[in-house]
Amino acid sequence: YLSKTAGLAVPGNLSIAVGAQVILTANEQIADTAALTVNGTFNLSGYTETITSLVGSGIVELGVNGNSLIEFSNSIPNHIRS
């Protein structure tokens, strides 16, 4: 769970391995300059995240009623679902 209230929980790149899951419980927990590799599951849980790139073969779950926002400038994984 990423829920830091001051500063970033992840100040750099993040890789989520097959079978692993990262869940946001607050907005903007990962550095805006980060490359995110998702081969497991990244769950935004209705929160907002800005990253530089998003790649991998995993799943990005938007969360609560699809009210999440993820901003990126590169490619995306095969599955994004709400």
Side-chain angles (χ1 to χ4, degrees):
Y1 291 92
L2 301 180
S3 60
K4 199 165 183 183
T5 57
L8 296 170
V10 180
N13 296 336
L14 177 63
S15 292
I16 304 170
V18 173
Q21 179 171 293
V22 171
I23 301 170
L24 291 185
T25 57
N27 290 321
E28 300 299 336
Q29 295 292 301
I30 303 169
D32 291 355
T33 57
L36 178 58
T37 302
V38 179
N39 291 310
T41 301
F42 180 56
N43 188 335
L44 279 92
S45 301
Y47 293 98
T48 300
E49 188 58 63
T50 302
I51 56 174
T52 297
S53 66
L54 178 61
V55 297
S57 60
I59 295 169
V60 175
E61 295 181 335
L62 300 178
V64 184
N65 298 318
N67 290 330
S68 296
L69 174 64
I70 187 165
E71 298 180 22
F72 55 91
S73 61
N74 239 346
S75 58
I76 60 172
N78 294 332
H79 306 285
I80 295 182
R81 63 184 184 200
S82 59

